[in-house]
Amino acid sequence: MKLFTGPLSMFGAKAQIAALEKSIAIEAVMVPFDRDDNYEPRHPEVLRINPKRQVPVLIDGEVEIFDSTQIFEYLEDRVPDPPLWPRGVVERARARQLEHMSDEVFFPHVIKLMGLQHDMQSEAAVAACAACARFYVQMEHRLAHGDHLAGSYSFADIAFYMAQVFADRKGAGMTGDTPRLLAWRERVGARPAVREVVGPMMRFLASQGRPVPLALQSHLA
């Protein structure tokens, strides 16, 4: 099984962590990034399989798929145990919605910040940071009665953990206003599968002289 990802691919990291949590042997092929976190050069297999010209892309024999969520669903079907969706139908629906919100509601604000690093005091940057802070409060409420976002540890936790890693990098980190969420971040970040993926990402940043947020510096060890 081969996963085309990149040294700073949030979506590739989601799939890679899920594979590690399930003890699935996977070869991670790193598609280089340029300084602005884009892919250059384009890998021919990525171009062939994904019309969006993006990682992650998974090849497993005759199976060739792209999109982190679709890849995860394939891994979950291929190796059901340990499960990374809750067993209950209602709980699983909530977890899927949270994973989708991380990618499609929260992360677009982070994408805006990627293009505003030169002017973080601008109205657009301040608004994006405020939107991230409001989302953190929503997730804080999710943790009022448990250690994870959707009951047991799930792909929803993996997705939001990686999204907030990039938010922190781009100036929209968590604060003391969400203590349960800060504790959640420590729990998820301490998982061996998470450390195995996030550690190289942070070391890649450091090797380029790029800043590593304080909350992520433990991954440099």
Side-chain angles (χ1 to χ4, degrees), residues 22-38:
K22 290 178 170 292
S23 299
I24 297 173
I26 196 164
E27 178 188 355
V29 179
M30 291 295 164
V31 177
F33 276 74
D34 66 16
R35 179 74 184 187
D36 297 322
D37 296 349
N38 297 312

Side-chain angles (χ1 to χ4, degrees), residues 2 34 69 74 76 81 97 154:
K2 187 176 291 188
D34 66 16
T69 304
Y74 175 74
E76 185 80 345
D81 293 307
Q97 183 182 57
S154 73

